[in-house]
Amino acid sequence: MSTVTEEASESKEVKTNKWVYLFDEGPGDDKALLGGKGAGLCEMTQAGLPVPPGLVVTTEACNAFFDNDKQFPDGLWEQVKEGLVKIEEKVGKRFGDPKNPLLVSVRSGAAFSMPGMMDTVLNLGLNEETVQGLAEQTGDLRFALDAYRRFASLFGEIVMGVAHSKFERVLDRFKALTQGGRDTDLKPDHLREIIAAEKQIILTEQSAIPEDPYEQLRVAIMAVFNSWMGRRAIDYRRVNRIPDSLGTAVNVQVMVFGNMGAGSGTGVAFTRNPSTGKKELYGEYLLNAQGEDVVAGIRTPNPISQLKKELPEVYDQFASIANLLEQHYHDMQDCEFTIERGKLYMLQTRTGKRSGAAAVRIAVEMVYEKLIDHATAVQRVTPEQLDQLLHPTVDPKTNATVLATGLPASPGAAQGQVVFSPDEAEEMARDGVQVVLVRSETSPDDFHGMVAAQAIVTSRGGMTSHAAVVARGMGKTCVSGAQAINIDYGQQQFTVDGTIVTKGEWITVDGSTGRVFLGQVPTIQPTLGEDFYKLMTWADKFRRLRVRANADTPLDAKTARQFGAEGIGLCRTEHMFFGDKRLSVMREMILSEGAGAREKALEKLLPLQRSDFIGIFREMAGLPVTIRLLDPPLHEFLPNAEELGAELSELKMALKVATTMAAMDQILDEIDHKRALLRQVNRIREANPMLGFRGCRLGLLFPEVTRMQCRAIFEAACKVQGERKKVELEIMVPLVSLSEELHQQAELIHEVARQVMGEHGMTIEYHVGTMIELPRAALMADRIAAHADFFSFGTNDLTQTTFGLSRDDSSRFLPNYIERKIMKDDPFQVLDRDGVGQLVRLGAERGRSVKPNLKVGICGEHGGDPQSIAFCNEIGLDYVSCSPFRVPVARLAAAQAVLNPAVESTISAQV
């Protein structure tokens, strides 16, 4: 037994210590080991395609480099040199030979495509001797010097840390001396002077470029490793949720040259259009150029279709290879190529980045082309790509000024003139003016302005703040928590780092990225075609979780149905009280003293609620509707005490300058009203209202509120059922922590149900359940389940109460927590599996231990998050509920959770 163990250990050690693979031996299906670029080069080489020879330094070597205090692990450098010897034998050149020099490129290549995030060095191996050998070898002195000046600038920038702009200024100065003003117009004498200037810049800032090609290679490999932990790469990984632990591979490849005259060139092309998904070669190329020229925009590249006219044989060969690669990988490919004196070389193939529209189209068309099956198509489209399809997006080509960046609270792109008052927003919108409402934070008082605005921007608040939740529910673009914005309501302006934006100026809001732009930035409108609906149909075949929507109005319900919602998982009755007329009646009820006065105010609210419920039941056409009884603390419906105090001060000032008795009387009446209102506001003020008199506590102490809401619900249900339409009703009691709370509220609901059904002479089928949003409720779920037909986990509040975090205030420090890796994700965006998730799991298990068929779902903002949906599928919940505009995303994520049960996100599935 010990012998077997020792052999296994030795075998594992040998594999671990193999740091380098030649292209003709590397396992092309192992992107995790070789990186995406390296794996593709190995596969193309082994398939017999024209690929310059090379080697891959593995991602394991990168991780070992960082574990070894940024020093090469034992054996790595020796393996690199051994690999170079074998490459020299293949090409008949020698690395560092002054007469017949071999030059190489050094490129990064992580398992995930991270375009532009890490570093590349070309023409490595050149020095004062080998540049002469290259000139003799090729018979082209100008080409050799051009390659040398490119190497010097890239090596200086990437390896030695000199600013690229300094080299760019030198190049521009000498280009200006030529007749054409292009880099191709530079003469050998110009190039010699450029090289000398570049070397001097590097020497002044750092030290001389090593003359030894092996030393150049060693430090270049180290530079690529170090670029994995560069700021660009870290930021990219954070945004795309790519683990830091993966590391990058390094590809060392024989140089082929696209800058050897008119018969040479370089380009990048996709096998399909990455913007639209159309099946066509899509890309650009340049003749007499090297790879960075296309990317850097030194010259304007030509569309790939023009290559067919200039070099038809090369074009046909490339088109054939591109098609072969797509057939092999069963996916759209992003290919880099170089043409050296009429001969085509493939330098890269990788899965191509694409827009949301292109992702859907390519997935569906590849099914029709029999390249992939339905399951693969569903996994090919990320939830983020699908989300792009549902909202306008900022044109990615824009170079507009970014004023501030906040949280991407509600996706999409919108623009309008800045306003700071909800009343002005409503008035201007009524006149046909597009506006963006900018507030420190929003409240129910602002609702009408939010409805009127094209977008909402707040300087405070998180992803589940009032602005964020309401905006997402309406499908309205929103950026919250943009802390750089300092609002001066008095001056009607906001400032960001010295830039002043006044009322009426145009801004553009990108709710998908959290950016706020100055001015009107072009946006791209979404279109949902047949491909979208076909993909959704395939996704529905695989998912187990049902998908409902959070909807508070008939319009919300209609939108939810259009996006495929299978019911309403959360109808927040408090949102029905927004708007001037309803809010005033609601305030009358809150400020009433005594049950009798409250009941009179509630009588005015009852027909309004009943009307809304009728509309919702009609729209849902027999699908389940879960209605949550009044939940928020009452202060949310009242004016802010500080604002009332400020208004009183303004009224007193106005009184001093009033010129008529009538005006004075009017102001005095308003002062009396405001004082009375302020007294009432202070009377019900709570130190911590979110943990105070709200939810079921309000219903238990003010049973007339529950009675009115339930009467409105059952009367609406009777009305719609009387129209011979089915109603599936669920009533949810919020903020329960004690089983007796639910018991007493359920008894009151049943009492009202019997009364209304008796009055209408009909029977309504309904269920009573509760929202589990407090840790105690999850722990005591078995006792609570005795009185419940269903549970719905309110993960917004459950996250707050589990962490002891305010979702509105935590945006001040949570980004720092994530940056410092104290937390992996914002727990208000991605469900905390280890803490909050365990309470959800425990609550579901304990509830079902009493009632095995207990229906359980979630209705927090996590219901639209793909990683959270995967967790809900894993623990066996019945449904998730999210905003209407997230329903398609949830449907797709629920299907992917079944197809990839061990994968937390679609990104991980693409390794």
Side-chain angles (χ1 to χ4, degrees):
M1 185 71 176
S2 61
T3 305
V4 174
T5 305
E6 287 167 9
E7 288 177 358
S9 177
E10 288 174 10
S11 173
K12 182 178 180 182
E13 188 173 343
V14 169
K15 183 180 178 184
T16 301
N17 288 336
K18 183 168 177 57
W19 307 118
V20 175
Y21 289 85
L22 295 174
F23 289 172
D24 56 11
E25 66 172 345
D29 59 348
D30 196 344
K31 290 184 180 180
L33 179 67
L34 302 181
K37 190 189 297 286
L41 288 167
C42 290
E43 280 213 83
M44 287 194 293
T45 298
Q46 293 162 32
L49 298 182
V51 177
L55 58 85
V56 185
V57 182
T58 67
T59 58
E60 291 178 350
C62 177
N63 287 327
F65 170 79
F66 286 109
D67 290 343
N68 196 35
D69 197 23
K70 295 187 178 182
Q71 298 296 318
F72 284 164
D74 290 344
L76 171 58
W77 183 234
E78 289 72 20
Q79 290 179 33
V80 169
K81 290 190 289 187
E82 289 168 7
L84 271 177
V85 171
K86 293 177 181 177
I87 292 169
E88 289 172 339
E89 293 171 356
K90 293 178 189 292
V91 298
K93 301 176 184 178
R94 286 186 56 214
F95 192 60
D97 189 326
K99 298 295 185 183
N100 188 28
L102 168 66
L103 304 185
V104 297
S105 63
V106 180
R107 300 173 186 261
S108 62
F112 298 106
S113 175
M114 296 172 58
M117 295 302 110
M118 292 181 294
D119 296 329
T120 296
V121 179
L122 303 180
N123 306 321
L124 190 141
L126 282 173
N127 57 28
E128 291 297 331
E129 288 187 335
T130 56
V131 71
Q132 298 302 323
L134 181 64
E136 293 173 12
Q137 188 185 76
T138 60
D140 191 337
L141 175 61
R142 189 210 171 276
F143 152 73
L145 291 170
D146 184 55
Y148 196 15
R149 70 94 185 163
R150 292 170 185 271
F151 164 70
S153 63
L154 276 174
F155 193 91
E157 177 189 354
I158 303 305
V159 180
M160 309 193 80
V162 179
H164 172 75
S165 59
K166 297 187 177 183
F167 301 121
E168 198 68 24
R169 281 196 293 270
V170 171
L171 182 62
D172 288 343
R173 186 170 74 246
F174 280 93
K175 285 196 298 185
L177 300 176
T178 68
Q179 188 172 356
R182 298 171 301 181
D183 62 307
T184 51
D185 296 318
L186 294 167
K187 304 299 183 186
D189 288 344
H190 293 139
L191 292 167
R192 285 193 180 95
E193 290 188 65
I194 291 172
I195 293 165
E198 289 175 339
K199 285 186 172 184
Q200 185 59 44
I201 290 170
I202 296 168
L203 183 61
T204 300
E205 293 208 9
Q206 295 289 333
S207 57
I209 297 175
E211 284 290 295
D212 179 2
Y214 283 95
E215 180 62 12
Q216 293 175 5
L217 179 59
R218 188 185 70 81
V219 295
I221 292 173
M222 294 176 71
V224 173
F225 280 162
N226 281 319
S227 72
W228 174 254
M229 296 307 294
R231 180 61 186 268
R232 287 174 300 167
I234 291 172
D235 288 347
Y236 184 90
R237 291 198 298 274
R238 184 172 295 118
V239 169
N240 292 280
R241 292 176 179 165
I242 297 172
D244 289 340
S245 59
L246 295 180
T248 182
V250 180
N251 301 283
V252 179
Q253 188 173 24
V254 172
M255 280 295 304
V256 286
F257 302 99
N259 57 332
M260 295 186 73
S264 302
T266 185
V268 177
F270 296 82
T271 56
R272 304 195 186 211
N273 188 311
S275 295
T276 67
K278 183 179 179 182
K279 190 175 182 181
E280 62 179 355
L281 267 184
Y282 181 92
E284 297 173 324
Y285 74 100
L286 278 172
L287 294 181
N288 197 18
Q290 283 198 322
E292 76 270 17
D293 296 346
V294 177
V295 178
I298 293 172
R299 281 183 278 146
T300 303
N302 304 312
I304 194 72
S305 57
Q306 192 171 319
L307 185 63
K308 191 166 188 176
K309 299 174 184 176
E310 295 194 286
L311 296 171
E313 290 183 3
V314 171
Y315 177 86
D316 290 342
Q317 184 187 8
F318 177 72
S320 175
I321 290 174
N323 181 63
L324 179 67
L325 289 170
E326 184 174 277
Q327 295 289 321
H328 174 75
Y329 287 104
H330 301 271
D331 202 355
M332 185 258 276
Q333 295 297 291
D334 170 4
C335 305
E336 290 183 17
F337 64 91
T338 285
I339 308 158
E340 182 180 288
R341 292 178 171 174
K343 181 172 174 56
L344 175 70
Y345 293 93
M346 300 300 296
L347 303 184
Q348 173 179 279
T349 188
R350 62 184 176 191
T351 301
K353 298 284 186 182
R354 64 206 75 180
S355 70
V360 171
R361 179 174 177 177
I362 291 169
V364 172
E365 289 188 356
M366 283 191 170
V367 169
Y368 294 146
E369 294 165 20
K370 301 190 184 305
L371 281 174
I372 59 176
D373 57 18
H374 290 174
T376 305
V378 169
Q379 295 172 86
R380 279 284 166 81
V381 181
T382 68
E384 292 78 13
Q385 287 171 327
L386 196 67
D387 198 38
Q388 286 179 27
L389 217 60
L390 303 173
H391 299 271
T393 55
V394 167
D395 189 336
K397 298 176 183 176
T398 186
N399 57 0
T401 301
V402 177
L403 282 171
T405 301
L407 297 170
S410 185
Q415 52 194 220
Q417 296 180 33
V418 170
V419 293
F420 299 95
S421 158
D423 294 334
E424 281 193 272
E426 188 175 53
E427 290 169 10
M428 292 173 69
R430 196 180 294 125
D431 293 334
V433 180
Q434 288 181 238
V435 298
V436 173
L437 181 62
V438 180
R439 303 282 287 166
S440 296
E441 57 192 0
T442 62
S443 70
D445 276 345
D446 300 328
F447 183 74
H448 57 294
M450 297 171 73
V451 171
Q454 300 295 311
I456 301 105
V457 176
T458 67
S459 59
R460 294 199 294 268
M463 291 290 288
T464 51
S465 64
H466 175 267
V469 172
V470 173
R472 276 195 293 273
M474 294 189 293
K476 188 86 64 176
T477 297
C478 177
V479 169
S480 62
Q483 297 181 39
I485 291 177
N486 295 299
I487 301 171
D488 186 335
Y489 288 115
Q491 295 295 319
Q492 291 288 281
Q493 66 184 33
F494 71 81
T495 59
V496 180
D497 295 331
T499 299
I500 300 174
V501 180
T502 59
K503 186 181 80 173
E505 286 192 59
W506 283 83
I507 61 172
T508 298
V509 183
D510 185 352
S512 300
T513 64
R515 294 177 297 172
V516 181
F517 295 86
L518 184 64
Q520 293 175 270
V521 178
T523 58
I524 302 170
Q525 292 297 322
T527 53
L528 300 179
E530 290 183 11
D531 292 338
F532 167 81
Y533 293 106
K534 180 60 69 176
L535 185 75
M536 287 292 95
T537 300
W538 295 340
D540 291 342
K541 288 196 314 180
F542 296 106
R543 65 183 169 88
R544 183 193 62 80
L545 281 169
R546 313 301 286 178
V547 177
R548 299 188 187 184
N550 303 338
D552 310 322
T553 67
L555 179 59
D556 289 345
K558 183 178 182 179
T559 303
R561 285 293 309 276
Q562 290 171 343
F563 282 127
E566 297 163 302
I568 292 176
L570 175 62
C571 176
R572 293 159 288 205
T573 54
E574 62 272 10
H575 285 186
M576 297 174 177
F577 301 133
F578 295 162
D580 289 343
K581 292 182 181 178
R582 297 183 179 206
L583 195 57
S584 63
V585 178
M586 186 64 179
R587 286 175 174 172
E588 181 186 338
M589 186 278 294
I590 295 170
L591 298 174
S592 298
E593 296 192 21
R598 278 194 297 274
E599 286 174 352
K600 286 184 179 179
L602 290 167
E603 287 175 6
K604 299 176 186 177
L605 288 173
L606 191 148
L608 301 175
Q609 288 241 287
R610 181 175 59 220
S611 175
D612 285 338
F613 293 138
I614 288 171
I616 290 171
F617 290 145
R618 284 173 177 164
E619 287 292 347
M620 295 314 292
L623 292 174
V625 177
T626 305
I627 299 172
R628 183 181 70 185
L629 300 179
L630 191 63
D631 179 51
L634 296 178
H635 84 279
E636 289 196 7
F637 299 99
L638 298 176
N640 181 280
E642 286 73 19
E643 289 180 4
L644 281 173
E647 289 172 8
L648 274 169
S649 297
E650 290 175 5
L651 286 169
K652 290 174 183 177
M653 293 293 292
L655 184 63
K656 291 179 180 180
V657 296
T659 57
T660 66
M661 288 299 296
M664 292 176 66
D665 288 343
Q666 184 177 353
I667 294 170
L668 286 169
D669 288 344
E670 186 66 17
I671 288 174
D672 289 342
H673 170 71
K674 294 287 184 184
R675 281 175 173 164
L677 189 57
L678 182 58
R679 282 196 297 272
Q680 293 284 58
V681 167
N682 287 328
R683 180 175 61 84
I684 68 168
R685 176 184 284 186
E686 296 178 280
N688 193 342
M690 294 306 294
L691 297 178
F693 188 49
R694 55 170 286 215
C696 68
R697 301 160 189 169
L698 178 68
L700 287 165
L701 271 66
F702 292 174
E704 57 273 12
V705 174
T706 300
R707 188 173 285 110
M708 179 280 290
Q709 288 202 293
C710 290
R711 175 165 282 276
I713 292 168
F714 286 111
E715 286 182 356
C718 288
K719 169 70 174 172
V720 175
Q721 190 164 294
E723 298 168 356
R724 298 186 180 277
K725 296 174 183 174
K726 185 181 177 184
V727 174
E728 186 172 338
L729 172 61
E730 298 174 348
I731 298 177
M732 183 158 64
V733 179
L735 210 72
V736 164
S737 60
L738 301 162
S739 61
E740 190 58 26
E741 290 176 322
L742 179 58
H743 179 214
Q744 291 192 22
Q745 282 284 278
E747 287 298 307
L748 180 55
I749 294 167
H750 297 320
E751 176 191 327
V752 175
R754 288 191 295 269
Q755 290 174 354
V756 175
M757 288 188 287
E759 292 166 8
H760 288 78
M762 61 174 63
T763 300
I764 301 292
E765 290 188 16
Y766 69 96
H767 301 280
V768 176
T770 186
M771 181 177 278
I772 305 292
E773 50 194 322
L774 297 172
R776 190 181 195 280
L779 295 171
M780 306 300 292
D782 49 348
R783 298 185 187 180
I784 293 171
H787 310 291
D789 299 319
F790 65 91
F791 283 170
S792 181
F793 284 88
T795 51
N796 294 345
D797 277 354
L798 188 58
T799 298
Q800 286 198 105
T801 52
T802 301
F803 274 99
L805 281 176
S806 163
R807 62 188 179 188
D808 290 331
D809 297 324
S810 60
S811 62
R812 296 169 58 187
F813 63 86
L814 275 183
N816 183 268
Y817 266 44
I818 294 164
E819 185 176 342
R820 294 172 60 186
K821 299 182 183 178
I822 297 171
M823 282 182 171
K824 181 181 177 184
D825 297 294
D826 184 334
F828 294 110
Q829 296 180 42
V830 179
L831 187 69
D832 163 44
R833 287 178 171 233
D834 296 336
V836 179
Q838 294 313 305
L839 286 172
V840 175
R841 184 195 297 269
L842 184 68
E845 290 173 351
R846 289 190 174 179
R848 286 172 172 165
S849 71
V850 175
K851 291 185 176 177
N853 295 322
L854 186 73
K855 187 187 296 183
V856 183
I858 72 166
C859 59
E861 289 299 306
H862 301 102
D865 170 65
Q867 292 187 60
S868 306
I869 290 168
F871 179 74
C872 293
N873 183 75
E874 177 188 316
I875 65 172
L877 300 194
D878 296 301
Y879 69 88
V880 296
S881 188
C882 56
S883 69
F885 290 89
R886 292 291 289 181
V887 166
V889 173
R891 290 164 66 191
L892 180 69
Q896 292 177 345
V898 172
L899 293 167
N900 291 300
V903 179
E904 284 194 16
S905 69
T906 304
I907 290 175
S908 299
Q910 293 176 345
V911 175

